Amino acid sequence: MILGLDIGSVAVGCVLVDNTGKVLETEYRFHEGKPRRVLEELLLQSNFRDARSIGVTATSPEIIRADLYPDPRTAYASGARRFFPDLSTLLVVGGERFERIHFDERGRYRGLKSNTSCAAGTGSFLDQQAVRLGLADSGELSDRALEARTAPNIASRCSVFAKTDLIHAQQEGYSLEAICYGLCRGLARNIYDVLFGGEPGEGPVVFAGGVSKNEAVRRTLEELIGRPVDSHPQGHLFGALGAALETKTALESTPENRMPANEESAAVPPVERIIPESKDREYSFEPLTLQNSEYPDFSGRVSRYCCEVEVEEYQRKADLQGPGKARPAEVPVFLGIDVGSTSTKAILTAGDEEQSGDPLFGFYTRTGGDPLDAIGRIFQAIRDTEASQELRFDVRSAGSTGSGRTFIGNIIGADLILDEITAHARAACSLKPETDTIIEIGGQDAKFTTLKDGNVTFSQMNSVCAAGTGSFLEEQAARVGIGITDFAQLAENVSAPLASDRCTVFMERDINHLVNRGYSVREVLAAAVHSVTENYLQKVADEAAVGSHIVFQGATAKNRALVAAFEQRLDRPITVSPYCHLTGALGAAILAAEEAAELRPEASSFRGFDLDLSAVSVRTETCDLCTNHCRITIASI
């Protein structure tokens, strides 16, 4: 008997065949980062113990001694031909890869198209979304999807961005089944765009790999491709089946091409062929410690919470009064608002001549997919601050920035609506005039900006990939059971192993492997920090353009370990301001003040903090001009 094994990134497939190629037994099991343990459990099963020869196809390093190691594509094609002898197009979608293999009319290999270093469109992407939705696994997600008749348009282009889309869909009242269907359709669109867009081909498509068990994905692919997409109940085992059949062929081939029978190995039970895992841990990075960077003490900040908003106080009442003066009934201020995809921030700066531009109060809250509600909470917190401080803020001018700047800016009557790059650059130069480089990492995006004499000379943003953003770090902290506020302290002062920096899904896979190999939580967190740093410098920044006066902005700059990683990697000091998480809002306030310099206070169009946002009528529309399916929000005031 011959045993075929397919050891993939997320699962182990086993197929046992007899000497005629007849399938005797199959097994498929997710290994959750522990392939050796799962493989050992499977090989101890009665029938598998009797295998005399073993063929293994794998995307991971060798973990078992085999008689033959066929290429994964060869194995899948061989397994597929067992049920589809006239195979012309094979579509394989697994845990980390998806690819389209072409064959000519004689069954000879013609070409290959595959995904890039991005997990959108793979099984691991669906596995991660299943966890977010509270489902057992992607199999349950697939079953739920088949119960839906309608589906929201979820742009499954990135795991982190999909999280925001899921929140939007839930807030719009879509059922769990509809959301599952939307995810499956979005995943199918990604596969189609990468592998079939502009080159649909001819003839039926054979669908294999773990995702071939997802009927909702198969139906959508068939709809998009416009021709039959065939699958088989054992399509997820084609790799293992092909490994067994290729091994059988090699054993039976002509004498000059025949694979020699390994009698010594045949006498050894399959489970004893497993190669023991090395217990030695390898480290690629020195411990993270700040050496030369300017980093503020956030622990001494006066802050409180109101309406789910963190309120930071930068100046006490006496500072607002001024020496020897009675407290004014009104305090002139400039307002800056930064509406981001993950968080919404606001800052009030002094509007009087003596303290003009000095930050007075900062406000920080989660956007939660509803920027209007987030601004409503911030306005309530500002009104609460007025009451608790016995003050009344007189807004002389207001500016808005961030991804929601136009929508929120028009609702509140902002005097100035500006892009994030301009806002962050202005804040950086205000805090450190010699700034020539800005590292900015937010919840779902990252930007790299260079300046000369206070003017932006170059700026670049991450593509539709959130690997290396704040949301990624938050998810890794949650995965190992710690709060994001404890992340930095735990990640500092420990050496770190190497983890993937190419995609959030792959990073999580590597982190699972590190945990299973015995690395400590602290070492795993440090590895995640280095992954973010490498991802940013390779995919967002132009490292050759990094200057000598670097400012790190965005909420992730409050992660001291991440600052230390950039300092270690660039071998240059990094400056972090006390307002790093509010610099977008600060830049908007500063520029709003400059715009209003020659205007009368009553010239501001700001509608006031008592604007009843609950009375604002809001409806949404979906743009279908591309696969991102952006939501357009329309508000009536």
Side-chain angles (χ1 to χ4, degrees):
M1 291 185 289
I2 302 170
L3 176 63
L5 298 176
D6 181 6
I7 305 172
S9 58
V10 299
V12 176
C14 304
V15 174
L16 185 69
V17 302
D18 62 16
N19 293 334
T20 67
K22 178 183 177 181
V23 175
L24 302 176
E25 187 169 346
T26 65
E27 188 68 67
Y28 185 84
R29 190 177 301 177
F30 292 101
H31 57 62
E32 297 180 348
K34 304 172 184 176
R36 276 184 176 80
R37 181 182 301 178
V38 169
L39 184 59
E40 181 178 354
E41 293 172 356
L42 292 172
L43 295 183
L44 286 173
Q45 295 183 17
S46 58
N47 288 343
F48 293 148
R49 287 185 308 195
D50 298 330
R52 302 283 292 175
S53 300
I54 298 177
V56 177
T57 185
T59 56
S60 57
E62 290 184 14
I63 64 175
I64 185 170
R65 290 185 293 274
D67 299 292
L68 187 69
Y69 297 94
D71 179 82
R73 299 179 182 95
T74 302
Y76 261 98
S78 186
R81 284 200 178 94
R82 176 67 180 270
F83 302 99
F84 303 94
D86 298 326
L87 181 68
S88 62
T89 299
L90 177 62
L91 173 61
V92 182
V93 184
E96 289 189 357
R97 295 194 62 78
F98 58 88
E99 50 196 14
R100 175 189 177 191
I101 309 171
H102 310 264
F103 302 93
D104 63 18
E105 62 280 358
R106 297 177 60 183
R108 295 175 301 187
Y109 172 81
R110 283 179 50 196
L112 170 79
K113 290 185 73 173
S114 63
N115 65 318
T116 60
S117 57
C118 173
T122 66
S124 291
F125 174 85
L126 283 184
D127 291 337
Q128 191 178 79
Q129 307 319 309
V131 172
R132 285 176 175 164
L133 293 171
L135 303 176
D137 51 34
S138 56
E140 184 181 356
L141 186 149
S142 173
D143 294 340
R144 292 292 188 99
L146 293 175
E147 298 174 18
R149 295 185 178 180
T150 61
N153 287 315
I154 296 177
S156 306
R157 61 200 183 279
C158 174
S159 175
V160 174
F161 296 152
K163 183 178 180 179
T164 301
D165 288 346
L166 295 184
I167 293 172
H168 283 306
Q170 289 168 334
Q171 290 173 338
E172 291 173 11
Y174 283 98
S175 67
L176 177 60
E177 290 73 19
I179 291 173
C180 291
Y181 190 29
L183 280 166
C184 292
R185 290 185 65 83
L187 181 123
R189 288 192 202 98
N190 278 325
I191 296 171
Y192 173 78
D193 288 341
V194 174
L195 303 184
F196 293 89
E199 189 185 340
E202 299 178 355
V205 176
V206 175
F207 190 15
V211 181
S212 67
K213 299 173 69 176
N214 189 312
E215 180 63 13
V217 172
R218 190 200 66 79
R219 291 178 185 177
T220 305
L221 283 170
E222 195 168 65
E223 172 188 322
L224 294 171
I225 298 171
R227 62 184 196 271
V229 174
D230 298 323
S231 62
H232 188 274
Q234 293 186 342
H236 58 299
L237 290 167
F238 281 177
L241 174 59
L245 296 177
E246 287 293 309
T247 303
K248 174 180 175 296
T249 300
L251 290 169
E252 299 172 346
S253 59
T254 57
E256 61 271 18
N257 295 321
R258 181 181 300 155
M259 180 183 73
N262 191 329
E263 296 299 330
E264 182 179 347
S265 295
V268 176
V271 71
E272 294 183 18
R273 293 204 201 184
I274 295 177
I275 301 171
E277 184 174 15
S278 172
K279 299 298 182 180
D280 295 333
R281 299 194 193 118
E282 298 178 356
Y283 295 93
S284 301
F285 302 99
E286 295 295 321
L288 290 170
T289 305
L290 277 181
Q291 301 288 341
N292 304 308
S293 297
E294 299 177 36
Y295 191 82
D297 180 12
F298 291 103
S299 62
R301 183 63 47 80
V302 177
S303 64
R304 57 189 171 83
Y305 279 87
C306 173
C307 311
E308 301 178 25
V309 178
E310 183 177 10
V311 182
E312 296 185 356
E313 184 177 336
Y314 304 123
Q315 297 192 22
R316 309 300 295 174
K317 292 181 183 179
D319 297 321
L320 294 173
Q321 283 181 260
K325 296 180 182 179
R327 185 184 303 113
E330 293 186 349
V331 176
V333 295
F334 296 107
L335 169 66
I337 291 175
D338 181 0
V339 185
S341 57
T342 302
S343 60
T344 296
K345 291 79 66 178
I347 197 165
L348 294 172
T349 63
D352 61 314
E353 293 183 3
E354 294 182 7
Q355 298 178 321
S356 180
D358 290 347
L360 303 178
F361 296 94
F363 305 86
Y364 187 100
T365 190
R366 292 284 181 173
T367 305
D370 189 344
L372 193 61
D373 180 64
I375 285 295
R377 279 183 269 123
I378 281 182
F379 278 13
Q380 176 60 50
I382 292 176
R383 294 198 298 270
D384 176 77
T385 300
E386 287 181 315
S388 64
Q389 301 286 336
E390 300 180 33
L391 302 169
R392 189 175 186 281
F393 298 121
D394 176 20
V395 177
R396 300 297 176 89
S397 185
S400 71
T401 188
S403 59
R405 61 186 179 273
T406 304
F407 175 58
I408 294 301
N410 281 292
I411 288 177
I412 69 172
D415 302 288
L416 181 65
I417 298 174
L418 65 154
D419 64 272
E420 303 101 302
I421 293 168
T422 302
H424 276 275
R426 185 65 187 86
C429 292
S430 173
L431 297 167
K432 185 175 182 177
E434 64 269 31
T435 298
D436 56 22
T437 305
I438 299 175
I439 295 172
E440 189 213 330
I441 302 179
Q444 291 189 0
D445 61 16
K447 304 181 189 71
F448 172 73
T449 304
T450 60
L451 304 92
K452 183 176 182 180
D453 301 327
N455 297 310
V456 173
T457 56
F458 174 78
S459 186
Q460 185 161 279
M461 186 176 179
N462 63 321
S463 60
V464 287
C465 174
T469 61
S471 292
F472 167 75
L473 289 177
E474 286 189 1
E475 291 193 1
Q476 302 323 305
R479 182 171 290 273
V480 295
I482 69 162
I484 189 64
T485 54
D486 300 321
F487 194 119
Q489 182 179 359
L490 292 172
E492 284 189 281
N493 302 313
V494 292
S495 300
L498 185 66
S500 171
D501 63 2
R502 56 194 174 128
C503 173
T504 58
V505 172
F506 299 151
M507 285 184 191
E508 290 187 6
R509 176 214 60 187
D510 284 1
I511 286 172
N512 284 337
H513 284 311
L514 293 174
V515 171
N516 292 327
R517 287 182 59 191
Y519 288 95
S520 70
V521 168
R522 296 186 64 192
E523 292 167 340
V524 168
L525 293 176
V529 167
H530 285 290
S531 291
V532 169
T533 305
E534 290 297 319
N535 184 279
Y536 179 87
L537 292 174
Q538 292 183 26
K539 295 185 178 180
V540 182
D542 177 0
E543 193 168 348
V546 175
S548 303
H549 302 283
I550 307 168
V551 173
F552 189 179
Q553 299 186 157
T556 53
K558 296 181 77 173
N559 187 321
R560 184 184 174 96
L562 184 57
V563 180
F566 275 106
E567 179 191 281
Q568 185 184 102
R569 177 68 170 73
L570 295 171
D571 194 25
R572 269 160 272 188
I574 311 292
T575 299
V576 178
S577 87
Y579 318 112
C580 61
H581 54 305
L582 301 171
T583 41
L586 178 59
I590 293 171
L591 288 167
E594 293 174 354
E595 285 280 316
E598 299 180 1
L599 300 178
R600 299 186 308 277
E602 58 269 21
S604 175
S605 59
F606 179 62
R607 290 190 168 94
F609 297 120
D610 55 354
L611 177 65
D612 186 5
L613 296 175
S614 63
V616 176
S617 173
V618 178
R619 74 179 192 275
T620 59
E621 296 178 359
T622 301
C623 173
D624 293 318
L625 294 180
C626 78
T627 57
N628 279 346
H629 299 291
C630 297
R631 289 171 179 80
I632 301 169
T633 306
I634 302 161
S636 301
I637 304 174

